Amino acid sequence: MATAFLSTANSFFPSSISPSTSSSCSSSSSSSLGTALVYLNNQNVQRRTLCKAFNESPPPTPALTKRGFSLCFITSLVLVAGNGCSNAIAAILEADDDEELLEKVKKDRKKRLERQGVISSSGQEKGYLQDVVYKLSEIGQAIDNNDLSTASSVLGGSTDTEWVKNANVAFNKLSSSPEEKTQVETFNSSLASLISSVTKNDVESSKVAFVTSATAFEKWTTLTGLVGQLKGL
């Protein structure tokens, strides 16, 4: 490219020009040519830089959501205004947290009132549960005294006895959460183990099964809010 530009430049000067003049003109021409070449080279570099920047530019960012825009706006305020604005924003966020907490408290209170309404209208079921308390108390005393025959007579010999069936009627009506239902399952399975152990006259296994049954029942009454409404707990 440089050779082509020099050849073109030399054709502009006639051959009759003296050597000194030609030398001067050549020097001037070479200077002008050098400037031109530098300019063109800079232009090419700029074009390549722009093309590279365009090709390597990241994809457009997705549109901000309303929440994202709010967070960006808040961040901008903090950076611009400093601590004063930061404190104000902290107060706003704290107020939002308080509002969420208040809503949660309202929902929990509504659930408690609904639960209390169900319990208040379940007099018969509470009677069934009170009978469970009495039965467990008698069975526990008998096992503690190693009197498995008395424990067996109170238990009834199987899970199909009337008091166990009635207890499950109450469980099914008053259990709503997964935790409460889990405790009911634990009570029934450990009660079956208790009956089996008492029938086999296995004192130690009977004690373990009884503790598991009584603990599950107590946890269930706590979860449902019945712990203060049943005597003997």
Side-chain angles (χ1 to χ4, degrees):
M1 180 181 288
T3 303
F5 271 98
L6 286 171
S7 176
T8 303
N10 287 335
S11 68
F12 290 154
F13 301 101
S15 59
S16 60
I17 296 177
S18 62
S20 60
T21 304
S22 175
S23 175
S24 175
C25 290
S26 296
S27 176
S28 174
S29 175
S30 297
S31 177
S32 299
L33 179 59
T35 302
L37 288 173
V38 170
Y39 174 78
L40 290 173
N41 185 58
N42 289 339
Q43 292 296 313
N44 289 333
V45 170
Q46 290 177 4
R47 289 193 189 96
R48 287 196 297 270
T49 302
L50 289 173
C51 290
K52 183 178 181 182
F54 179 81
N55 292 331
E56 294 180 357
S57 61
T61 56
L64 286 174
T65 61
K66 183 178 179 181
R67 178 176 177 82
F69 178 78
S70 299
L71 291 175
C72 290
F73 180 69
I74 289 174
T75 303
S76 300
L77 287 179
V78 172
L79 293 175
V80 173
N83 291 336
C85 184
S86 178
N87 293 336
I89 292 170
I92 293 173
L93 295 177
E94 184 177 354
D96 290 341
D97 292 340
D98 290 342
E99 185 175 351
E100 291 179 3
L101 180 60
L102 181 60
E103 287 298 321
K104 185 178 184 302
V105 170
K106 288 181 179 178
K107 290 180 180 179
D108 291 342
R109 182 172 181 275
K110 183 180 179 181
K111 288 181 180 179
R112 281 199 310 272
L113 291 175
E114 291 175 350
R115 172 62 64 86
Q116 290 302 322
V118 173
I119 292 175
S120 298
S121 62
S122 303
Q124 185 176 28
E125 286 75 16
K126 284 194 291 185
Y128 294 156
L129 296 172
Q130 187 63 66
D131 189 37
V132 173
V133 175
Y134 294 148
K135 296 288 187 185
L136 290 178
S137 178
E138 292 179 38
I139 294 167
Q141 290 178 7
I143 293 174
D144 190 49
N145 294 327
N146 295 329
D147 186 1
L148 296 187
S149 60
T150 300
S152 179
S153 64
V154 175
L155 283 168
S158 74
T159 55
D160 290 330
T161 55
E162 191 69 20
W163 72 274
V164 177
K165 288 181 178 179
N166 290 339
N168 278 283
V169 169
F171 289 151
N172 292 333
K173 181 176 181 179
L174 300 175
S175 298
S176 57
S177 69
E179 293 82 1
E180 294 164 4
K181 294 177 181 179
T182 297
Q183 295 305 322
V184 170
E185 292 174 0
T186 301
F187 173 82
N188 282 321
S189 62
S190 58
L191 185 65
S193 297
L194 175 59
I195 293 172
S196 175
S197 297
V198 169
T199 302
K200 294 176 182 179
N201 204 32
D202 187 340
V203 176
E204 293 304 320
S205 296
S206 298
K207 290 180 179 180
V208 172
F210 171 78
V211 170
T212 305
S213 300
T215 301
F217 181 76
E218 185 176 5
K219 286 182 178 179
W220 181 85
T221 57
T222 300
L223 290 171
T224 56
L226 283 161
V227 67
Q229 301 190 33
L230 299 175
K231 299 178 181 179
L233 289 179

